[in-house]
């Protein structure tokens, strides 16, 4: 058993930490190697566990999909709720009923609400995020870059309910008195503004990685041809990093689609189809959050909410997969 | 990386171990679930089992099963945020009488409370609407027999922003506003301002009550809420919204109005029809029938509470229908059931 | 980043215009940065200013009275603590083992690519979907009741992706030479990983754990779905993890926000302040730790 007295191993420790117990001098090296390792069975067991956890993430993701689908499809298979009605009914009323004819739930209204909020978020967060990423990657001095990156990470760690709370306190009255959006200031636009700040750190992080990944030759070539810094950034670096920048936007979008607490308290509560982001609305996430307490085990509401979750999952899944493929493209392009 | 032997056999073994663990977990889980069901949502008072996964309440102990019991333990009531103000005051008094007892109330809404009751998570559901046949069926499917206790009758106040000075609304106008047929305050004698309709959300019994007994009563059984109403999480949330929105309208029980700062919203006098006088909501006008928007507030239990397994449920419901409990209702401007 | 070329002494009109445009655009990017960073300052400032008056010893150490309008949030703090401890206990061993697999044992190939993609996906799954999954798995299939450990397990599932990602990065950044030295001496791969590689990667792993804890403390949506409750005086012995429903700071804040004018405003800010403090402590520790790693001379680019 190697000595291990609890110190964190440093490079110099390698020798002493790894020293096997001294073997009787008479044995040959070959015999020593062939000897079964002490504690070998335990090692094999632990390694099996490690292999098991390796695929655990796959199991988890598939498990999420399977469970959502299993619970959600009950709506159509067990309760005979019309699929067409689920797609097109213009309202999403989360009544706890076990009779399909009394259930007035369609996904289109929450879906549109989610899309409105996401649109507002992207319109705000993508330019802001990209501009910030350009600033910290290309323009800011290294010390400033570090501080801002840390600040962005702090921003990413702030609970979204806090954003929602401050938004309710500051933004809603302002919007209500100045513009009269939505219901008392609570609208998709209001929520979108706040969610933009929730999504922007992610966009910054990925866009910054993408810009940093552009090889230094690109810049040098641009300067050699007489570009100033702005021209180098705009005509050379950003186009080179475009895949990563696009991925950043996509992952920001996925973040916005999945946001619940801020929209729950800021977007208003209109569960029907909305034709403008300035309306009060209720997104898919808010529908699930506000309806789940009402959903007894016997009602159509429970499977309907799981179906809504499934749609959410599908949107974020496909967005993430495409973003990853796009990022992979950039990785391949710049790997040497 | 160092060469590894093929891990397939190991994965298989691991899979077997995982499967065994899952089976063990399911078995344990079913035990817990089974115990929940056995308790019937009550807290397992008379049985000695101490199940680790209780319905969120600790098992209370009754030191005797006679009439004069020393009660202790915890009780959960879930449901209407309209009933909640009453429940809170009743709990305070009840806990004062029986130290060692903790009763808590949640505010998921009547629908949420009834769902919790059906799911066996709460022994008492508080509701501001009558339980539906559908829900009685669901409860029966879970082995519960629904028993209704009327706590009191409550007027439903129609509230607007304090600066909104409209003199009155008729019952039909109220219905038409919430159904979306009247969309501007000027149509009912107010300023030229689009009406912002706030309602409770679908978990609320009041939400259902207004749809069935106001909108449909006035406009026919096919009528429903306007599609564009703004659903709020509970009564205080809606009151908060109206207190900040000059164009808003909302509804809430008198008990809820007692919980917010005075003057935050303004109650509108309601007239039963064009010919009647508009009156303010109060227990007198409800009793006399002059105020047209009133309903009962209920507790639902599994079977007659006087014969319930859980002594806390028996004692609490007995308190509610006693003179003391009814006096609390009067304090809140509710009309006592007796 | 190479230095920009100096402007020539004789600047033509075009070059002057370009330079002006550049200054303008760069100023805009700086402005964007300020706008993006401002919310932290704004949120922290407001929460501090409005909430500090509510923070008394009573608020922190006593339980709620009169529906939480008086007294404090002590049970919420304790149960949040239990939840976070459970999340760590559930997610860290599994997550680190998974990261060990990905960095030490897995062979590059399609399976590895697939798993990496899966982890990115798991990190992007909406938190409320984790709540639904937790409800379906623990409440429906396993038939458990809505106890605190169920909430913790659901949050742990969400934390897995974060922990695996940072642990894997940290392990990958340990120089290969260290492993090879150990292996060359005859130490088995498992022991090398456990006693040589992991300790080197430990600061990075701890950083990831701190970030995961911070995230779990701030998540409200899954907690809402799986069944947390508002502040309530319950038995706070560790058996509460199976006996009691979860209470969480973030859910408490949500529940009180939704009570609007029916709940004292400064108490809401007080809860917000406690939550923010919790989260900032973990986040700042993680950032500080990461800074230490970078300065010790780790090969990994920050």
């Amino acid at each position: 058993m190697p000595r291990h007295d609890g110190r964190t191993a440093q490079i110099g420790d390698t020798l002493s930490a790894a020293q096997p117990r001294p073997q009787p001098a008479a044995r040959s090296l070959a015999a020593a190697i062939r000897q079964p390792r002490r504690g070998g069975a335990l090692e094999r067991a632990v390694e099996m566990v490690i292999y098991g956890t390796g695929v655990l993430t796959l199991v988890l993701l598939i498990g999420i999909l399977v469970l959502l689908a299993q619970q959600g499809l009950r709506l159509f298979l067990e309760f005979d709720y019309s699929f067409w009605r689920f797609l097109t009914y213009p309202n999403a009323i989360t009544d706890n009923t076990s009779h399909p004819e009394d259930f007035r739930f369609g996904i289109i209204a929450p879906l549109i609400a989610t899309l409105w909020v996401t649109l507002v978020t992207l319109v705000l967060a993508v330019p802001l995020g990209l501009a910030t990423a350009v600033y910290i990657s290309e323009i800011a001095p290294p010390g400033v870059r570090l501080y801002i990156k840390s600040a962005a990470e702090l921003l990413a760690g702030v609970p979204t309910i806090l954003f929602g709370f401050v938004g309710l306190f500051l933004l809603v009255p302002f919007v209500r008195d100045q513009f009269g959006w939505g219901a008392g200031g609570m609208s998709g636009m209001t929520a979108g503004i706040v969610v933009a700040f929730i999504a922007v750190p992610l966009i910054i992080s990925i866009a910054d990685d993408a810009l940093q990944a552009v090889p230094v030759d690109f810049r040098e070539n641009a300067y050699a041809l007489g570009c100033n810094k702005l021209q180098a950034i705009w005509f050379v670096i950003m186009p080179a990093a475009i895949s990563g920048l696009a991925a950043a936007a996509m992952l920001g979008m996925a973040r916005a689609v999945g946001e619940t607490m801020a929209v729950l308290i800021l977007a208003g509560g209109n569960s029907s189809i909305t034709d403008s982001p300035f309306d009060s609305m209720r997104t898919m996430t808010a529908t699930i959050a506000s309806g789940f307490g009402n959903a007894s085990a016997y009602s159509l509401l429970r499977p309907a909410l799981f179906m809504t979750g499934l749609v959410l999952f599908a949107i974020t899944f496909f967005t993430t997969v495409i973003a990853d493929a796009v990022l992979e493209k950039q990785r391949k392009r710049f790997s040497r | 990386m160092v060469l590894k032997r093929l891990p397939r056999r190991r994965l298989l073994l691991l899979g077997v171990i995982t499967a065994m663990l899952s089976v063990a977990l399911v078995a344990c889980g079913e035990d817990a679930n089974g115990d929940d069901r056995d308790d019937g949502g009550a807290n397992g008072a008379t049985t000695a089992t101490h199940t680790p996964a209780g319905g969120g309440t600790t098992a209370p102990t009754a030191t005797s099963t006679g009439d004069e019991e020393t009660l202790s333990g915890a009780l959960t009531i879930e449901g209407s945020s309209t009933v909640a103000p009453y429940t809170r005051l009743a709990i305070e008094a009840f806990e004062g009488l029986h130290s060692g007892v903790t009763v808590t109330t949640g505010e998921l809404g009547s629908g949420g409370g009834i769902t919790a009751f059906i799911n066996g998570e709460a022994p008492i559901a508080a509701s501001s609407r009558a339980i539906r046949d559908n829900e009685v069926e669901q409860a029966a499917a879970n082995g519960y027999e629904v028993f209704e206790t009327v706590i009191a009758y409550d007027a439903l106040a129609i509230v607007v922003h304090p600066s909104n000075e409209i003199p009155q609304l008729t019952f039909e106008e109220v219905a038409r506003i919430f159904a979306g047929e009247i969309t501007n305050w000027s149509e009912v004698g107010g300023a030229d301002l689009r009406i912002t309709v706030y309602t409770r959300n679908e978990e609320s019994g009041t939400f259902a009550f207004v749809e069935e007994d106001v909108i449909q009563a006035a406009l026919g059984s096919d009528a429903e809420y306007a599609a564009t109403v703004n659903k709020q999480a509970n009564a205080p949330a809606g009151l908060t919204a109206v207190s900040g929105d000059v164009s808003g309208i909302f509804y809430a029980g008198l008990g809820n109005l007692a919980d917010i700062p005075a003057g935050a919203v303004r109650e509108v006098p309601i007239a039963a029809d064009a010919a009647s006088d508009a009156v303010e909501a109060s227990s007198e006008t409800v009793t006399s029938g002059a105020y047209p928007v009133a309903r009962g507030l209920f507790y639902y239990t599994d079977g007659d509470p006087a014969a319930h397994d859980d002594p806390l449920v028996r004692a609490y419901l007995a308190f509610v229908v006693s003179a003391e409990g009814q006096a609390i209702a009067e304090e809140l401007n509710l009309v006592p059931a007796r | 980043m190479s230095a920009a070329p100096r402007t020539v002494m004789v600047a033509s009109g075009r070059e002057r215009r370009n330079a002006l445009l550049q200054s303008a655009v760069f100023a805009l990017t700086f402005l964007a940065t300020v706008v993006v960073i401002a919310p932290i300052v704004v949120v922290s400032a407001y929460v501090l200013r409005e909430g500090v008056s509510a923070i008394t010893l009573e608020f922190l150490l006593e339980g709620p009275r009169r529906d939480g309008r008086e007294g404090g949030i002590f049970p919420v703090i304790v149960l949040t603590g239990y939840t976070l401890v459970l999340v760590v206990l559930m997610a860290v061993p599994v997550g680190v083992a998974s990261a060990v697999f990905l960095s030490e044992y897995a062979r590059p190939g399609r399976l590895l690519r697939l798993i990496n993609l899966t982890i990115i996906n798991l990190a992007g799954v909406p938190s409320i979907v984790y709540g639904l999954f937790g409800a379906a798995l623990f409440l429906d299939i396993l038939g458990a009741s809505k106890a605190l450990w169920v909430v913790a397990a659901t949050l742990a599932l969400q934390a897995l992706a974060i922990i695996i990602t940072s642990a894997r990065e940290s392990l990958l950044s340990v120089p290969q030479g260290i492993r090879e030295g150990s292996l060359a001496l005859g130490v088995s791969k498992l022991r090398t990983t456990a006693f040589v590689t992991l300790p080197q990667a430990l600061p990075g792993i701890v950083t990831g754990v701190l970030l995961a804890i911070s995230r779990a403390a701030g998540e409200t949506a899954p907690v809402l779905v799986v069944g947390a409750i508002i502040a309530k005086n319950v038995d706070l012995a560790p058996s509460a993890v199976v006996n009691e429903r979860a209470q969480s700071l973030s859910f408490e804040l949500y529940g009180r926000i939704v009570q609007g004018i029916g709940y004292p405003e400064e108490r809401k800010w007080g809860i917000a302040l406690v939550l923010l403090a919790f989260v900032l402590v973990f986040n700042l520790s993680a950032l500080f730790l990461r800074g230490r790693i970078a300065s010790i001379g780790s090969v990994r680019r920050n």
Side-chain angles (χ1 to χ4, degrees), chain B:
Chain B
M1 303 276 180
V2 177
L3 282 172
K4 290 305 299 175
R5 290 181 288 271
L6 278 175
R8 257 175 239 149
R9 260 176 310 162
R10 298 178 174 189
L11 276 176
L12 185 64
L13 188 55
L14 190 69
V16 168
I17 295 174
T18 317
M20 281 164 45
L21 274 172
S22 317
V23 169
L25 263 174
V26 169
C28 284
E30 275 182 20
D31 265 16
N33 197 32
D35 277 330
D36 252 356
R37 303 258 176 106
D38 288 342
D39 291 349
N43 307 313
T46 49
T47 58
T49 49
H50 182 72
T51 57
T57 57
T58 52
T61 48
T63 52
S64 77
T65 47
D67 283 327
E68 286 301 309
E69 309 169 37
T70 314
L71 292 173
S72 67
L75 180 63
T76 307
I77 302 171
E78 183 59 83
S80 165
S81 77
T82 308
V83 180
Y86 171 84
T87 306
R88 283 195 280 262
L89 285 180
I91 288 173
E92 233 183 279
F94 185 71
E95 284 178 349
L97 288 178
H98 302 274
S99 65
V101 170
T102 336
V103 188
T104 43
T105 177
E107 263 185 67
L108 278 184
S110 308
I114 290 175
T115 296
F117 172 73
I118 292 172
N119 288 343
E121 287 157 14
I124 303 179
S127 176
S128 60
R129 62 163 169 84
I131 194 169
R132 300 185 180 125
D133 293 335
N134 188 280
E135 291 162 336
V136 173
E137 279 165 33
Q138 294 181 30
N142 239 5
Y144 300 136
E145 189 196 312
V146 171
F147 186 95
E148 179 180 286
T149 308
V150 180
I151 309 166
Y153 296 95
D154 181 28
L156 189 67
I158 307 296
V159 294
V160 296
H161 190 267
S163 73
N164 187 335
E165 287 171 352
I166 66 164
Q168 65 160 58
L169 286 170
T170 67
F171 184 81
E172 190 190 326
E173 283 172 338
V174 170
R176 293 179 64 203
I177 288 176
F178 283 98
E181 291 179 20
I182 297 178
T183 53
N184 194 304
W185 282 115
S186 59
E187 299 175 58
V188 287
D192 179 18
L193 200 54
R194 195 186 51 119
I195 303 179
T196 308
V197 180
Y198 295 96
T199 68
R200 297 286 303 282
N201 71 12
E202 299 92 329
E203 289 179 343
S204 159
T206 313
F207 176 84
F209 168 75
V210 169
E211 185 165 49
E212 289 160 18
D213 295 313
V214 176
I215 296 176
Q216 287 173 355
L219 305 175
S221 59
D222 284 339
E224 41 179 44
Y225 275 111
T228 54
V229 296
N230 302 291
K231 296 170 182 164
Q232 303 299 301
N234 53 27
L239 291 169
T240 306
V242 165
S243 73
D245 185 355
V246 295
S247 63
I249 186 171
F250 184 57
Y251 47 73
L254 294 179
N256 294 119
L257 289 173
D259 267 352
I260 61 168
V265 297
R266 177 182 164 248
E267 291 173 48
V268 178
I270 308 294
D273 50 49
S276 316
D277 286 332
V279 293
E280 297 240 334
S282 73
S283 61
E284 292 83 38
T285 53
V286 167
T287 319
S288 72
Y291 192 77
V293 197
R295 69 281 175 60
L297 302 179
F298 310 102
Y299 282 133
Y300 289 105
T301 49
D302 178 23
D304 188 341
H308 201 273
D309 287 335
D310 182 354
L312 284 179
V313 173
R314 289 200 299 266
Y316 180 75
L317 264 317
F319 174 79
V320 164
V321 301
S322 73
E324 257 186 276
Q326 294 294 295
I328 294 178
E330 276 184 35
E331 259 178 63
L332 287 174
N333 255 312
L334 307 174
V335 177
R338 329 250 134 179

Side-chain angles (χ1 to χ4, degrees), chain C residues 31-118:
Chain C
L31 195 61
T33 308
V34 167
V35 167
V36 160
I37 301 304
I40 316 174
V41 178
V42 168
V43 167
S44 308
Y46 265 99
V47 170
L48 194 62
R49 185 182 81 179
E50 307 282 335
V52 75
S53 58
I55 305 293
T56 60
L57 274 181
E58 184 191 2
F59 188 71
L60 294 175
L61 296 179
E62 284 191 31
R65 287 193 302 272
R66 301 205 62 220
D67 312 309
R69 292 193 182 112
E70 288 168 25
I73 54 170
F74 185 63
V76 183
I77 297 177
V78 171
L79 290 184
T80 305
Y82 285 165
T83 308
L84 295 177
V85 166
L86 268 188
V87 168
V88 168
L89 288 178
M90 290 189 212
V92 169
V94 176
V96 171
S98 204
V100 162
F101 170 79
L102 291 173
S103 86
E104 311 292 319
Y105 285 89
R107 274 171 293 184
R110 293 188 62 184
L111 181 64
L112 190 59
R113 269 274 296 142
L114 190 63
I115 294 180
N116 287 335
L117 179 62
T118 303

Side-chain angles (χ1 to χ4, degrees), chain A residues 92 94 105 110 161 258-265 282-295 301-302 304-306 308-309 312, chain B residues 107-108 112 201-203 232-233, chain C residues 126-129 131-132 146 220-228 251 254 258:
Chain A
T94 56
F105 191 97
I161 185 75
E259 174 50 37
T260 309
M261 300 320 293
V263 289
L264 195 52
I265 56 183
R282 194 160 79 171
T283 63
M284 290 192 285
T285 49
T287 305
I288 297 174
S290 61
F292 204 75
N294 202 20
L301 181 56
R302 207 150 201 258
L305 293 180
F306 274 97
T308 310
L312 265 176
Chain B
E107 263 185 67
L108 278 184
N201 71 12
E202 299 92 329
E203 289 179 343
Q232 303 299 301
Chain C
S127 56
I128 196 153
V129 171
L132 284 177
K146 289 182 178 176
T220 322
V223 166
L224 203 161
V225 168
V226 182
F251 181 77
Y254 168 71
V258 148

